[in-house]
Amino acid sequence: MTLNELSVGEKGIIKKLNVTGIDKKRWQDLGFLPNTEIECLWPNTYRLRGSNCTLSTVNAKQIEIDVILI
């Protein structure tokens, strides 16, 4: 499952970033790391590591996650 498929209020764990090079480094610097919990607050807006981040749908499709079932 990719991040863009996460519904508002759902949480997931980042598995993999499907980007390379400087883009991957930039995302990692922003906290998008494997085994990090991420929550969908609004469409294309997410909370991870205490910060909110808005991503384009294209970018959200590049992040593989596992959904946390409550």
Side-chain angles (χ1 to χ4, degrees):
M1 175 178 202
T2 57
L3 186 56
N4 69 298
E5 298 173 84
L6 203 61
S7 297
V8 173
E10 285 187 317
K11 294 181 180 181
I13 300 290
I14 296 173
K15 289 188 336 183
K16 181 180 176 185
L17 302 177
N18 292 317
V19 292
T20 58
I22 191 71
D23 288 333
K24 186 171 188 170
K25 175 75 170 124
R26 192 172 299 130
W27 286 50
Q28 290 171 335
D29 289 345
L30 290 170
F32 289 86
L33 300 167
N35 300 315
T36 299
E37 185 176 299
I38 190 164
E39 177 183 6
C40 183
L41 302 176
W42 301 281
N44 296 333
T45 303
Y46 307 94
R47 177 179 294 136
L48 72 155
R49 298 181 180 266
S51 297
N52 297 348
C53 184
T54 301
L55 301 176
S56 69
T57 302
V58 171
N59 287 336
K61 286 181 179 181
Q62 297 173 321
I63 301 172
E64 292 182 29
I65 62 165
D66 283 326
V67 175
I68 297 174
L69 300 175
I70 299 175

